[in-house]
Amino acid sequence: KNEVEQSPQNLTAQEGEFITINCSYSVGISALHWLQQHPGGGIVSLFMLSSGKKKHGRLIATINIQEKHSSLHITASHPRDSAVYICAVLPTSGTYKYIFGTGTRLKVLA
Amino acid sequence: NAGVTQTPKFRVLKTGQSMTLLCAQDMNHEYMYWYRQDPGMGLRLIHYSVGEGTTAKGEVPDGYNVSRLKKKQNFLLGLESAAPSQTSVYFCASSWGEVTEAFFGQGTRLTVV
């Protein structure tokens, strides 16, 4: 079993829909990152959080440390949101080594 | 700001050839990382550095070497004798501290034939 599990693996949505991507992990963590990777492109950091909730534009990230779970929400989705979203956790073991999920591939149709 | 810049962006190597990937960052970050990304797998850490002149092995270090030059903004990833198993997309990242936001480069797509 992977230490970081994302669901769903693939997601197709219509423009305007509310989207939720989930990340569950099995280790104690210092921080969790949500990353975005566009096709053929680089990786961009969306959020880093260790508790509570963060919001940036149409994106909202939440984390529940006790339940070892985080969600990334996209409101009013748009085709330009089509990308792979990656969850990465930094374990408290202190080895600077992020553990990455395999990503959720999102496609938003116009 | 350029952020994190990787060169080259694409490369095709023959088995046994060597090459160096360059990562440069202009944010004065202490921590730098090299990852590889393969289909169906999460990014895996190859080597990392927590400061000028220091390097350490990550999860998949075999077949790679790294150096963090005195100019601490650069982090080099070397393949001494490339193998087809090293065909992958390589990402460099940097961060100011251990639990701070990481910034990624655009990636280097390497094919070893």
Side-chain angles (χ1 to χ4, degrees):
Chain A
K1 188 180 189 303
N2 293 335
E3 291 167 299
V4 179
E5 297 272 2
Q6 289 185 236
S7 62
Q9 290 186 333
N10 294 283
L11 180 57
T12 300
Q14 292 293 325
E15 183 174 359
E17 284 187 6
F18 180 84
I19 289 164
T20 296
I21 299 170
N22 296 299
C23 175
S24 296
Y25 51 91
S26 57
V27 297
I29 67 168
S30 301
L32 181 144
H33 244 119
W34 279 103
L35 307 166
Q36 180 191 56
Q37 184 175 24
H38 280 281
I43 296 171
V44 175
S45 174
L46 298 175
F47 296 102
M48 195 189 77
L49 63 167
S50 54
S51 64
K53 175 180 175 179
K54 287 190 176 180
K55 184 177 189 292
H56 185 259
R58 294 180 294 106
L59 301 178
I60 303 167
T62 64
I63 188 168
N64 185 317
I65 294 293
Q66 288 73 29
E67 295 187 2
K68 293 186 167 59
H69 182 268
S70 176
S71 293
L72 176 68
H73 306 285
I74 305 175
T75 61
S77 59
H78 190 277
R80 65 175 174 267
D81 296 326
S82 298
V84 176
Y85 292 84
I86 301 169
C87 171
V89 302
L90 182 64
T92 51
S93 57
T95 56
Y96 321 112
K97 298 176 186 178
Y98 273 93
I99 303 173
F100 292 81
T102 55
T104 293
R105 187 174 299 275
L106 171 65
K107 186 171 184 178
V108 182
L109 304 175
Chain B
N1 285 341
V4 180
T5 304
Q6 291 181 230
T7 52
K9 291 185 170 48
F10 303 93
R11 185 72 184 269
V12 178
L13 285 180
K14 293 183 179 179
T15 298
Q17 285 185 318
S18 63
M19 77 164 294
T20 300
L21 282 68
L22 171 65
C23 176
Q25 52 97 1
D26 61 3
M27 297 169 283
N28 211 31
H29 285 168
E30 288 288 340
Y31 292 66
M32 296 187 77
Y33 315 84
W34 275 108
Y35 295 96
R36 61 177 289 173
Q37 185 181 42
D38 300 295
M41 304 182 74
L43 280 84
R44 292 182 293 167
L45 182 64
I46 304 171
H47 286 279
Y48 63 99
S49 170
V50 300
E52 180 179 335
T54 72
T55 62
K57 294 180 180 179
E59 182 183 356
V60 288
D62 294 341
Y64 305 95
N65 57 77
V66 287
S67 64
R68 185 84 179 265
L69 302 178
K70 281 193 173 181
K71 182 178 181 181
K72 77 174 179 183
Q73 291 87 349
N74 293 336
F75 192 31
L76 306 179
L77 178 71
L79 286 75
E80 290 186 346
S81 179
S85 60
Q86 293 177 305
T87 294
S88 187
V89 181
Y90 292 85
F91 285 95
C92 176
S94 72
S95 63
W96 184 81
E98 179 182 353
V99 192
T100 58
E101 184 181 7
F103 294 80
F104 287 80
Q106 288 295 305
T108 297
R109 185 172 295 275
L110 175 66
T111 302
V112 183
V113 297

